[in-house]
Amino acid sequence: MDLHSGLPYWIIKNPLFDYYNPLKKDLETDIVIIGSGITGALMAHELCRTELECCVVDKRSIATGSSAASTALLQYEIDVPLCRMAEQIGEKNAVTAYRSCLQSISDIEAVLKETDIDADFERLPSIFYASDEKGVKLIEREYEIRKRYELPVELLNKGELHKRYKMRTYAGALLNRQSAQLDAYKAATQLFRYHIKKDHLQIFTYTKISSCEETPQGCRLKTKDDRTIRCKYVIVAAGFEAGQFLPEKVMKLTSTYALISHPIDNKDLWPEHSLIWETAEPYIYVRTSGNRIIIGGEDEDFNNPEARDELLREKTEKLEKKFHTLLPSVPFKAEMIWCGTFSTTKDGLPFIGTWPGTERIFFDLGYGGNGITFSMIGAQIISNLLQGKEDERKDVFGFGRIC
């Protein structure tokens, strides 16, 4: 399936990583990572820094799947609000999930500093605004539980939103100052470049894995070209395409839409260039990239690329209209538009770890709007487990909650 269509901004903004290295002979190694997006890149980084031998395989060019279409907002807030998540999985586990996401933003920043990679990482506030009366009640409940657990949050009324951020909303919003944004494609490709040079990391592109089998001695993978890879462990970091390696379906496929504006004068942007998203479902979200504005959302619950693409013009018009209603003083004219397919889960959480009853095939599946922060968490958990270290987060994000 085509993971995206249209013109994703990131592969126009950045030079493509012209890396071509299909696997041409059988291979033996310790750990195989399937997937070369931002999830695979963070996973490879964690393994390389702990000196665990690994390689990466991908059926495409590096980072040209969902990572190329990601709008890359980094928030501790998860698609399912904390107050609702607490009802689904218990307050303790829900708070652990939120605190883990908060920490992962700093951890991603640390990875980029440690490797001296400029991936346009930028710390910014985030505004979660009420779209309707239902949203008003939600942010009141959400504010209460976040304050109780000392998570970063401020409550703003409608007037404050308009005065401070030029926003015209139904009511108030929650503000936190611990969010960020980056360029996911740039981060992934530069992390791989770093470890190819420093650790001689092997990456095999245009190498499609057709089967993956766990054995008492390790794992055996077969490629579409009938090459065999033998290893001790496999880590599947292939997003929704990981479905072929799972015993049953655990995610829902969702199509999402995004557009980026022409460059505008910086004085016309809203103050602080905050990330913005709403309480309505499906929600829209807004960020900047330099002096351009990115709008995303208008998600649809289908995975047919043709049906997804047919709605591109209609969704563009809806997103532009919503933006002009929200920020009427800010000029916006779309220059590039694209759409992509992503995965979501009922509780808004990723799936990290092994399937019950297996020991050697790990999954690092950062499903939902927090895919990149989840990817950082997944890389840490799996790296710890491979080193024989306990990680209390594994049960919160593991398959045990559905099996």
Side-chain angles (χ1 to χ4, degrees):
M1 179 190 294
D2 292 333
L3 299 192
H4 56 76
S5 60
L7 197 61
Y9 170 61
W10 311 111
I11 55 178
I12 299 298
K13 174 177 172 286
N14 299 293
L16 279 171
F17 191 173
D18 292 330
Y19 183 95
Y20 181 76
N21 186 35
L23 182 65
K24 295 180 180 178
K25 61 182 181 180
D26 293 350
L27 175 71
E28 286 195 23
T29 187
D30 282 353
I31 305 167
V32 174
I33 301 168
I34 302 175
S36 72
I38 186 62
T39 305
L42 289 169
M43 188 73 254
H45 173 76
E46 286 299 307
L47 297 184
C48 287
R49 67 188 289 269
T50 51
E51 299 184 347
L52 292 170
E53 181 189 349
C54 64
C55 72
V56 179
V57 297
D58 198 308
K59 67 181 183 181
R60 301 182 177 86
S61 291
I62 289 174
T64 54
S66 293
S67 294
S70 171
T71 44
L73 282 69
L74 305 181
Q75 298 170 293
Y76 83 83
E77 299 143 313
I78 300 170
D79 284 349
V80 175
L82 179 58
C83 60
R84 291 177 183 165
M85 187 180 291
E87 295 169 354
Q88 291 179 298
I89 66 171
E91 217 161 273
K92 180 181 177 182
N93 285 344
V95 172
T96 296
Y98 266 67
R99 284 178 174 161
S100 297
C101 286
L102 178 61
Q103 179 60 45
S104 73
I105 299 171
S106 295
D107 292 342
I108 291 167
E109 184 176 22
V111 166
L112 298 174
K113 285 182 178 178
E114 169 191 331
T115 54
D116 197 27
I117 289 171
D118 177 10
D120 299 335
F121 181 96
E122 185 178 5
R123 287 277 187 175
L124 294 168
S126 174
I127 296 171
F128 181 44
Y129 71 93
S131 307
D132 49 28
E133 188 59 38
K134 185 178 177 182
V136 173
K137 294 176 181 177
L138 172 61
I139 64 170
E140 288 172 352
R141 290 179 60 207
E142 190 69 4
Y143 177 73
E144 181 183 332
I145 192 169
R146 290 194 203 175
K147 286 294 287 185
R148 191 188 321 150
Y149 286 100
E150 299 181 336
L151 289 164
V153 65
E154 299 173 39
L155 184 63
L156 302 180
N157 61 37
K158 183 177 179 179
E160 288 172 317
L161 278 175
H162 185 237
K163 182 177 179 180
R164 289 167 59 177
Y165 296 100
K166 302 183 180 181
M167 293 174 59
R168 294 191 181 277
T169 62
Y170 179 86
L174 300 182
L175 170 72
N176 89 70
R177 296 187 176 278
Q178 298 296 321
S179 298
Q181 63 186 25
L182 54 62
D183 178 334
Y185 177 81
K186 193 175 183 181
T189 54
Q190 292 303 311
L191 274 171
F192 282 129
R193 285 184 191 275
Y194 176 86
H195 287 293
I196 289 170
K197 182 177 180 179
K198 179 178 179 293
D199 301 293
H200 307 290
L201 175 67
Q202 293 188 90
I203 305 176
F204 299 101
T205 55
Y206 297 93
T207 301
K208 179 178 172 56
I209 302 298
S210 55
S211 68
C212 178
E213 177 187 6
E214 181 172 321
T215 70
Q217 294 76 35
C219 296
R220 183 171 58 246
L221 292 80
K222 280 284 188 181
T223 73
K224 185 180 178 182
D225 295 326
D226 206 30
R227 306 298 181 192
T228 299
I229 305 175
R230 298 182 186 276
C231 57
K232 296 176 183 177
Y233 299 98
V234 172
I235 301 169
V236 180
F240 78 80
E241 292 182 308
Q244 74 174 94
F245 306 108
L246 286 163
E248 61 185 69
K249 185 179 178 180
V250 298
M251 73 295 197
K252 179 176 70 174
L253 298 184
T254 300
S255 294
T256 192
Y257 300 82
L259 33 150
I260 188 163
S261 72
H262 286 283
I264 66 173
D265 196 313
N266 271 306
K267 68 178 177 59
D268 291 328
L269 292 170
W270 56 99
E272 301 182 67
H273 303 180
S274 304
L275 311 181
I276 301 170
W277 60 306
E278 65 173 331
T279 56
E281 296 178 6
Y283 59 84
I284 68 162
Y285 46 92
V286 182
R287 62 162 285 189
T288 56
S289 176
N291 60 343
R292 295 176 184 265
I293 302 164
I294 299 174
I295 312 171
E298 278 295 312
D299 297 357
E300 291 282 351
D301 293 338
F302 54 65
N303 61 357
N304 182 304
E306 289 76 22
R308 177 196 69 197
D309 296 353
E310 285 177 2
L311 290 177
L312 195 53
R313 184 180 295 277
E314 176 186 330
K315 295 295 186 178
T316 297
E317 291 174 357
K318 286 184 177 180
L319 287 169
E320 285 184 328
K321 183 177 180 181
K322 285 185 176 181
F323 179 84
H324 289 307
T325 300
L326 179 66
L327 288 157
S329 66
V330 180
F332 184 98
K333 183 173 178 57
E335 184 164 69
M336 285 169 260
I337 59 176
W338 67 95
C339 51
T341 301
F342 296 87
S343 299
T344 58
T345 60
K346 288 182 180 179
D347 56 14
L349 297 179
F351 285 107
I352 298 166
T354 57
W355 188 267
T358 65
E359 296 179 352
R360 294 181 176 274
I361 302 176
F362 289 83
F363 293 88
D364 188 0
L365 308 177
Y367 296 148
N370 289 64
I372 299 173
T373 51
F374 288 153
S375 295
M376 186 74 256
I377 295 166
Q380 293 168 340
I381 292 173
I382 294 171
S383 177
N384 284 337
L385 295 177
L386 288 171
Q387 295 173 80
K389 300 177 183 178
E390 268 302 306
D391 194 313
E392 63 178 10
R393 299 170 295 177
K394 67 180 176 63
D395 293 329
V396 176
F397 299 115
F399 290 100
R401 67 185 198 268
I402 62 166
C403 297

